Amino acid sequence: MAGIFLKSRKFGRTRLALWALLLGAGLGIACGGPSPEEYIYQLKSLQKAERTKAANQLIRFDADEVVPLLIEEADSGYIRVRFEVMHLLGRFEDERAIPTLIAGLKDKSPRVAAAAAWALGQIGSPTALAPLLKYVRDPTVEVRQYVLGALGPCHSYEAEPALSDSAFRVVRRALRAPKPKWRVAALQSLRTYGYRDAVEEVIRMSVDPSNEVRYVAMQALGQIGSASLRRPARNAIYEALLVALDADELQSIRSKAMHALAEMGDKRAVPHLQQLMREGTEEDQTAARLALYKLSPEVVEAMRRTELGAR
């Protein structure tokens, strides 16, 4: 009897556990996770980690469900909420947000205004170009940086030819702006113009005092050099990249120069890359090998066979 009673109790506990599991699952299905409204409320948190977590959850919802709610919150009394809203609207890349983001450019908080400019650049609509041009002389470093960065993505010769030309002139001038972040933003914006009439400027920026500017200039030179160019311009780019390869003190910039040479497809760089594979730092050797694989894989294979024979 005792044995039977014990088995019965065990069976009862198992059945109760099963019912509890099913009930819990049912409640989960019925209740679901937090709603978009709840996550938007969490954007008010004083903890940045909590706001980031809420923003990352919101981006997983459908835009039709979230974007109207974000637009409603754009005039929140909390700067941190307005900032997160502008940033999220940019991540959604939804054109319904454009009027709200344009209004955000005049926010009393430079941080919010900069986020609005960034978001407009993410959406890339020509309707934002004229409002952005009003802020190209904003005294705040961050606001002007993101305004300059948005001009390129928002320009369109089909929709706004005159404004696109105006934006191009602003971007060209900003390549010589006093702040490195402005120069970088202008150079990145110029990419959407195909670096038109700017080869000499970009070459000059490859020896800029700012590490960040030189790094972006290396990338731009590779992109320009990979296009069809007249020989003098191509040679000038090649020589600028060799200077960076031999003289720049930063590993990341030397590596970017090697990548740019590979993008150009100019086999004159092969001996220089071989030398770095023999004499450069470990990072130089890795970057040189990758560039050589793209330029001349047979050279890498020959060097590998030589190394194996030497062992």
Side-chain angles (χ1 to χ4, degrees):
M1 284 291 291
I4 294 172
F5 177 70
L6 189 59
K7 286 180 183 177
S8 176
R9 285 205 307 178
K10 286 182 179 177
F11 177 74
R13 284 199 299 269
T14 302
R15 187 165 55 183
L16 284 172
L18 180 60
W19 275 111
L21 182 63
L22 290 171
L23 182 61
L27 285 173
I29 292 169
C31 298
S35 66
E37 289 85 353
E38 290 173 88
Y39 284 124
I40 286 175
Y41 182 79
Q42 289 176 27
L43 297 178
K44 296 178 181 179
S45 173
L46 293 172
Q47 304 300 318
K48 183 179 179 181
E50 289 300 313
R51 297 198 303 272
T52 300
K53 189 186 301 182
N56 288 336
Q57 289 296 328
L58 281 166
I59 205 69
R60 297 170 66 182
F61 286 89
D62 187 85
D64 288 338
E65 199 172 358
V66 178
V67 168
L69 297 174
L70 290 171
I71 290 172
E72 287 180 16
E73 287 295 321
D75 60 352
S76 167
Y78 298 94
I79 290 175
R80 57 186 178 273
V81 173
R82 298 200 305 276
F83 171 80
E84 296 292 352
V85 164
M86 299 298 160
H87 200 260
L88 277 164
L89 289 173
R91 291 174 70 184
F92 273 108
E93 299 182 15
D94 192 307
E95 293 198 353
R96 288 173 294 181
I98 291 173
T100 299
L101 294 170
I102 289 172
L105 291 172
K106 59 185 177 185
D107 196 279
K108 62 183 179 182
S109 164
R111 190 163 172 260
V112 175
W118 172 83
L120 287 168
Q122 293 300 111
I123 296 172
S125 170
T127 58
L129 198 55
L132 284 165
L133 282 168
K134 295 177 182 178
Y135 294 89
V136 294
R137 295 186 180 278
D138 193 281
T140 310
V141 173
E142 192 177 16
V143 173
R144 195 185 301 193
Q145 172 190 351
Y146 287 106
V147 166
L148 287 169
L151 291 179
C154 289
H155 96 87
S156 169
Y157 279 114
E158 291 184 8
E160 297 284 0
L163 282 174
S164 290
D165 273 334
S166 296
F168 175 72
R169 288 192 292 271
V170 168
V171 167
R172 279 289 306 276
R173 285 197 301 270
L175 294 176
R176 292 180 177 269
K179 302 292 184 184
K181 288 187 180 298
W182 296 347
R183 299 199 293 277
V184 167
L187 186 51
Q188 291 171 331
S189 216
L190 196 63
R191 180 180 180 180
T192 64
Y193 285 94
Y195 301 107
R196 191 179 82 204
D197 304 328
V199 174
E200 290 183 11
E201 289 281 8
V202 180
I203 289 174
R204 178 186 58 77
M205 295 173 84
S206 72
V207 290
D208 193 275
S210 163
N211 297 337
E212 187 181 5
V213 172
R214 294 201 310 280
Y215 183 87
V216 178
M218 292 297 118
Q219 184 177 16
L221 287 175
Q223 291 163 350
I224 297 170
S226 65
S228 298
L229 288 174
R230 292 181 178 178
R231 186 175 294 276
R234 187 175 183 82
N235 286 340
I237 291 173
Y238 173 75
E239 292 298 332
L241 291 171
L242 282 190
V243 168
L245 201 67
D246 296 333
D248 207 288
E249 71 277 9
L250 280 187
Q251 173 66 56
S252 60
I253 294 176
R254 294 198 303 274
S255 295
K256 184 59 74 173
M258 292 183 228
H259 178 76
L261 286 166
E263 271 196 283
M264 286 183 68
D266 196 324
K267 292 200 173 187
R268 290 178 295 173
V270 168
H272 300 277
L273 295 168
Q274 286 178 296
Q275 183 178 356
L276 279 171
M277 280 189 66
R278 291 190 299 268
E279 303 171 6
T281 65
E282 186 176 343
E283 291 83 359
D284 280 332
Q285 292 173 18
T286 299
R289 184 180 295 274
L290 290 171
L292 276 171
Y293 264 124
K294 188 167 185 178
L295 271 177
S296 187
E298 66 276 8
V299 170
V300 179
E301 181 59 26
M303 292 180 74
R304 189 186 69 83
R305 286 198 299 267
T306 302
E307 290 171 3
L308 289 174
R311 292 174 190 171

